[in-house]
Amino acid sequence: MTRALRHRPFRWIGALYAVDSLLEWCGSIALMVVVYGRTDSTTVAAGMLLCKQVAPGALVPLAGPTLDRLSVGRALTVAFALQAVALLAISAIGYGPLLFPIAVLAGAAGAIVRALVRTGAALSLPGDDLRAGNAFLNIAMAVCGLAGPALAAVAVSAFGALPVLAAVAGLLAVCSALAACMPHLAGDASAVVATADEPAQDDHRQRSGAPQVPLAWLLGLVGLVTCVFSMDDPTLLAYSERALHAGVEGYGLIFAAWGVGVTAGSVVFTRLLHWPMLRVYALATTLAGCAYLGMSVSPSLGVTCAIAIVGGVGNGMDWIAIVTAVQETAPRGQEARAARHLEAIGMVGPGVGILVGGVLADLTTPRLTLLIPGVLALLVLLLGTLAVRVRELRLRDGLTTLASRPTTLPSPITGGSA
């Protein structure tokens, strides 16, 4: 990871990402407290989460034409500013009908920030340094995932939700000013004109021997797996209470164990940077899928927590592995577009999974609702692997056929083949 930090533009990207991750946790939790505190309704709180974390997924790709005319630094300046304005408005008006559309704006701006961070990493880091940079961002995400909720809980308890939202808005405004001072990135999106049919990047990010998978396939895989792995969210509390008889305390311990695994998985990822990223993703998805299967038949809370650590290890590697695979597959000049689509799918997929999981939780038992995601994830992985193998065989057969054809030259006398 120190290789990536030698690049000055990436140091800016990494610092802004870490700060934004902490502020995202603080803002989201404060917003949840505002809504639930006024309504005492989990349904309304869930609606707010859909506005902030799912609905923006449909808006992010629409911002593409505007963002493509800006450099990464300028686009980050605008996105941070939009987040700041949105949260400041909520802190001023409090709970009300306007909160929900403003939450959509805040969520869309936050998603654009994350997509721009991925774009900035891809543009600022050559070759293998991209993988090292992504490992750094993944570690930062894991640390912020542990520190952010704790910081938010302390701040909201001490000062109240609305003042915390105002403070987060102020810090986001500072981030906006800092983004405006970012150094220029080589090959910035505003300076590159490319078409979707350009060849893959020419900086040797695609490893020889790694499967050449179409970008659309990768994005489809992200959508399916993120959807499947979110189906457990509505049933985990019921699983802890009904299947394990562990109550809310057990629910918290399962989440804590999963979080420990995520942090460990982030560290493990740094040791697998020489692997093909799709192999890392397959390993991570297998670990998480098997964890769901194990939890569905677990006899006790202790066993469940041990299995949750294993699942967390997979969870700590899967997202960053597929992000890296997408970055390495995206054609030169299409890094920003690929990052936006990835972020959008990463937001919409879990929303769909939560809705499907909620229906399953009502129709089936908690154990079965955990079993189904594990089976589906492994099935998607198996079918995806078979599809890649079939594609490789077809490409290999096509190249062999072309190589075996005789070369014919026009005859200078008859005009036919010689």
Side-chain angles (χ1 to χ4, degrees), residues 16-237:
L16 287 173
Y17 177 72
V19 173
D20 179 68
S21 296
L22 285 174
L23 296 179
E24 179 70 25
W25 275 108
C26 291
S28 295
I29 290 176
L31 194 55
M32 176 68 77
V33 171
V34 168
V35 174
Y36 188 75
R38 284 292 302 274
T39 65
D40 198 30
S41 170
T42 56
T43 301
V44 177
M48 186 277 296
L49 287 178
L50 289 175
C51 288
K52 190 173 187 297
Q53 299 182 11
V54 179
L59 300 179
V60 172
L62 299 179
T66 300
L67 295 174
D68 287 341
R69 291 193 290 268
L70 301 174
S71 66
V72 170
R74 290 181 180 178
L76 277 172
T77 301
V78 174
F80 277 126
L82 285 175
Q83 273 188 295
V85 169
L87 294 185
L88 186 61
I90 294 175
S91 71
I93 66 176
Y95 178 79
L98 288 178
L99 181 145
F100 296 93
I102 297 175
V104 174
L105 174 62
I112 289 172
V113 166
R114 294 188 293 274
L116 288 168
V117 165
R118 302 299 179 190
T119 304
L123 293 175
S124 62
L125 297 174
D128 289 346
D129 287 354
L130 174 62
R131 295 186 170 197
N134 280 341
F136 174 84
L137 296 178
N138 200 41
I139 290 287
M141 180 177 68
V143 172
C144 291
L146 293 175
L151 177 63
V154 172
V156 170
S157 298
F159 304 107
L162 293 178
V164 168
L165 284 175
V168 170
L171 292 173
L172 287 170
V174 173
C175 290
S176 178
L178 290 174
C181 303
M182 273 182 56
H184 179 74
L185 303 179
D188 210 335
S190 61
V192 177
V193 178
T195 57
D197 57 352
E198 283 190 40
Q201 295 183 9
D202 55 2
D203 58 1
H204 304 293
R205 287 181 185 163
Q206 280 284 10
R207 306 288 182 92
S208 59
Q212 303 295 304
V213 180
L215 182 59
W217 288 25
L218 294 180
L219 295 175
L221 181 65
V222 172
L224 287 171
V225 175
T226 55
C227 173
V228 167
F229 278 165
S230 300
M231 290 167 57
D232 68 301
D233 289 353
T235 197
L236 271 179
L237 179 56

Side-chain angles (χ1 to χ4, degrees), residues 182-378:
M182 273 182 56
H184 179 74
L185 303 179
D188 210 335
S190 61
V192 177
V193 178
T195 57
D197 57 352
E198 283 190 40
Q201 295 183 9
D202 55 2
D203 58 1
H204 304 293
R205 287 181 185 163
Q206 280 284 10
R207 306 288 182 92
S208 59
Q212 303 295 304
V213 180
L215 182 59
W217 288 25
L218 294 180
L219 295 175
L221 181 65
V222 172
L224 287 171
V225 175
T226 55
C227 173
V228 167
F229 278 165
S230 300
M231 290 167 57
D232 68 301
D233 289 353
T235 197
L236 271 179
L237 179 56
Y239 167 76
S240 176
E241 291 182 338
R242 300 177 195 171
L244 301 179
H245 308 290
V248 177
E249 294 81 4
Y251 176 67
L253 286 174
I254 294 170
F255 261 108
W258 199 280
V260 169
V262 168
T263 305
S266 301
V267 177
V268 172
F269 179 78
T270 67
R271 310 308 302 168
L272 302 178
L273 298 184
H274 60 287
W275 282 27
M277 283 296 107
L278 284 182
R279 185 185 300 172
V280 177
Y281 185 71
L283 171 63
T285 303
T286 300
L287 289 175
C290 290
Y292 282 113
L293 297 181
M295 289 168 63
S296 71
V297 297
S298 171
S300 66
L301 177 63
V303 174
T304 295
C305 288
I307 296 172
I309 292 175
V310 176
V313 171
N315 224 182
M317 298 188 294
D318 58 358
W319 177 250
I320 195 62
I322 201 65
V323 165
T324 307
V326 167
Q327 289 171 324
E328 293 179 343
T329 303
R332 172 63 69 186
Q334 295 292 315
E335 297 92 344
R337 182 182 179 188
R340 287 194 300 270
H341 281 86
L342 182 65
E343 188 63 36
I345 292 170
M347 297 178 77
V348 174
V352 175
I354 289 171
L355 292 175
V356 174
V359 173
L360 286 175
D362 287 336
L363 297 178
T364 64
T365 65
R367 288 189 182 275
L368 186 59
T369 308
L370 290 179
L371 177 68
I372 291 173
V375 172
L376 288 179
L378 296 178

